[in-house]
Amino acid sequence: MRTGVQQMNRTVLLACAPFLGMVIWLFAAGVKPEAPEIGPALQTPEPSLAGYTERQLESLDKAGAIAKDISASVKRVSELYTMTNMSMSAMMSTAKAQVGRPAAIYDRRISIKLGYPRDSVQSDNLTAQLYTIRAQHFSGYALKVRLKSDKAMSLALAGNNPGSSETTLAAVKRTGAIAGVNAGGFADQGGKRYPLSTTVVGGEYVTGFEPSFNDLFFVGLNEDLKLIGGKYSNKSQLDKQKPKFGASFVPVLRKNGLNLPIPAKWRTNPLRAPRTVIANYKDNQILMMVIDGRGEDGSSGATLEELQILLSRFGTIDGYNLDGGGSSTLVFKGRVVNSPSDGQLRRLATNFLFFK
């Protein structure tokens, strides 16, 4: 707004310059034009130069000539100003395009590794692309999501109440999400299903903070829409990262671009299984992977080491193993995309949701 006002002021000054020049010359020449006397109605006095001295007339001629020169100069300046504005606008457009180019190149590079998207959603909140994963011993799906606003992703607590449970599909339908993936683990007690360990929804701890133990980790998003996660020995450690939401499970698969050693307990318990993973890229895009298997007997699905290979191949930075087995569920555009191993959808305590 301020720039527009400044441009208007400049235009007015440029337009008035010839007249100001004329007035200055008139005063310098000692010419004092007087308003003609008003005569009878409908009578207009004829303009006359009578009474002006020859010197004054010459000054008027000079003032007129100078005014014409000033007018021509103003016109040239105005044209130059217009051309400059056009050039600056073109330069700004080019600069903006160049600024976005590295991000587009990076996105293309990581997308090529995933293959060709089989479906996608784009809105003011997010861009979500669904890919198919096919490996020697398993198949599954990957969902790459660029978050554009703080409304794009959240963690849904079943029934908004600890102890309740719902399927991923039910959570998607209840909240109007465009996609959903199972999140943290759970513990059953007294006929109720509670989220496992530290869980945060809407910036609040659902059942309080619990220090990390037995390879448990917390993973979620902070207020800057960046993936945060790892082991936290005290609440202040996690608070410093300003978690917006998140859940807990085992183990951490990848950190800072490097695959971490898989604890012996989780290498074969089970060896293969349906899996769910959350990971991120260096531009803060989120990658969800859901791997199918026929059951939880260890005969099908993926090993954790195979998931690490995929995370490395896809170029992710950090990766976390989420609840798997019959819990592994991916919903996209209102339908279950994968094949949950229970033969039906499992009721869960928490689900990650994405909103269009």
Side-chain angles (χ1 to χ4, degrees):
M1 182 65 179
R2 184 176 180 182
T3 302
V5 173
Q6 291 174 340
Q7 290 179 346
M8 184 177 291
N9 290 339
R10 293 192 190 101
T11 302
V12 172
L13 288 174
L14 289 172
C16 294
F19 306 104
L20 292 174
M22 177 70 79
V23 172
I24 293 170
W25 270 97
L26 287 173
F27 277 102
V31 176
K32 298 180 180 179
E34 297 178 357
E37 295 181 0
I38 300 176
L42 301 180
Q43 293 183 359
T44 303
E46 294 291 333
S48 175
L49 296 176
Y52 289 98
T53 65
E54 186 175 344
R55 180 179 178 184
Q56 289 174 329
L57 290 175
E58 290 178 356
S59 297
L60 285 173
D61 290 338
K62 290 181 180 179
I66 291 175
K68 289 181 180 179
D69 290 341
I70 293 175
S71 179
S73 298
V74 168
K75 184 178 180 180
R76 288 195 297 272
V77 170
S78 178
E79 291 174 350
L80 179 60
Y81 183 75
T82 301
M83 293 177 63
T84 301
N85 275 343
M86 292 175 63
S87 298
M88 289 299 296
S89 297
M91 290 173 63
M92 289 298 294
S93 297
T94 302
K96 288 180 180 179
Q98 292 298 326
V99 167
R101 189 177 179 185
I105 292 174
Y106 176 74
D107 184 64
R108 193 180 310 119
R109 189 164 73 241
I110 61 176
S111 297
I112 288 175
K113 295 177 180 179
L114 291 165
Y116 187 81
R118 56 178 291 172
D119 205 349
S120 63
V121 170
Q122 185 160 339
S123 70
D124 292 338
N125 282 338
L126 55 72
T127 296
Q129 296 172 303
L130 180 66
Y131 298 85
T132 300
I133 296 175
R134 299 194 182 280
Q136 182 177 357
H137 301 291
F138 59 86
S139 62
Y141 300 88
L143 183 66
K144 183 169 73 70
V145 185
R146 180 183 296 279
L147 306 174
K148 301 177 184 178
S149 81
D150 58 3
K151 299 177 182 178
M153 183 180 178
S154 71
L155 180 75
L157 178 67
N160 295 319
N161 184 36
S164 299
S165 62
E166 63 184 344
T167 66
T168 306
L169 181 60
V172 167
K173 291 182 176 180
R174 176 174 63 85
T175 60
I178 191 64
V181 181
N182 64 289
F186 57 82
D188 292 332
Q189 182 178 358
K192 294 186 176 183
R193 183 155 286 180
Y194 295 92
L196 181 66
S197 195
T198 302
T199 303
V200 176
V201 176
E204 301 292 333
Y205 291 86
V206 175
T207 56
F209 173 84
E210 184 176 32
S212 300
F213 66 96
N214 292 342
D215 304 317
L216 274 172
F217 62 78
F218 171 89
V219 63
L221 257 65
N222 66 8
E223 295 177 356
D224 297 323
L225 305 183
K226 295 180 179 180
L227 191 71
I228 57 173
K231 298 181 179 181
Y232 300 88
S233 59
N234 56 70
K235 184 173 178 292
S236 61
Q237 271 186 316
L238 184 52
D239 285 342
K240 287 180 180 179
Q241 294 192 295
K242 299 180 180 179
K244 185 181 178 184
F245 58 81
S248 297
F249 203 63
V250 295
V252 178
L253 299 176
R254 187 171 173 84
K255 199 71 175 174
N256 299 322
L258 298 174
N259 292 332
L260 301 185
I262 302 296
K265 179 179 179 180
W266 308 113
R267 289 182 202 159
T268 57
N269 188 24
L271 176 63
R272 295 186 173 278
R275 308 280 190 183
T276 300
V277 174
I278 185 171
N280 68 332
Y281 291 98
K282 70 178 183 180
D283 64 350
N284 297 319
Q285 289 193 75
I286 300 296
L287 181 69
M288 308 293 304
M289 290 197 304
V290 176
I291 305 300
D292 279 336
R294 289 188 297 274
E296 299 184 48
D297 59 358
S299 61
S300 65
T303 68
L304 293 179
E305 286 84 356
E306 287 171 336
L307 293 182
Q308 288 180 317
I309 293 172
L310 285 180
L311 290 173
S312 177
R313 183 180 300 166
F314 293 157
T316 63
I317 305 303
D318 302 326
Y320 304 86
N321 181 53
L322 297 174
D323 192 13
S327 297
S328 290
T329 309
L330 171 58
V331 177
F332 192 72
K333 288 186 176 181
R335 70 182 185 89
V336 179
V337 176
N338 71 311
S339 301
S341 62
D342 284 354
Q344 61 182 1
L345 298 182
R346 179 179 290 179
R347 298 177 67 88
L348 307 172
T350 57
N351 289 282
F352 285 120
L353 301 180
F354 299 90
F355 297 88
K356 184 177 179 181

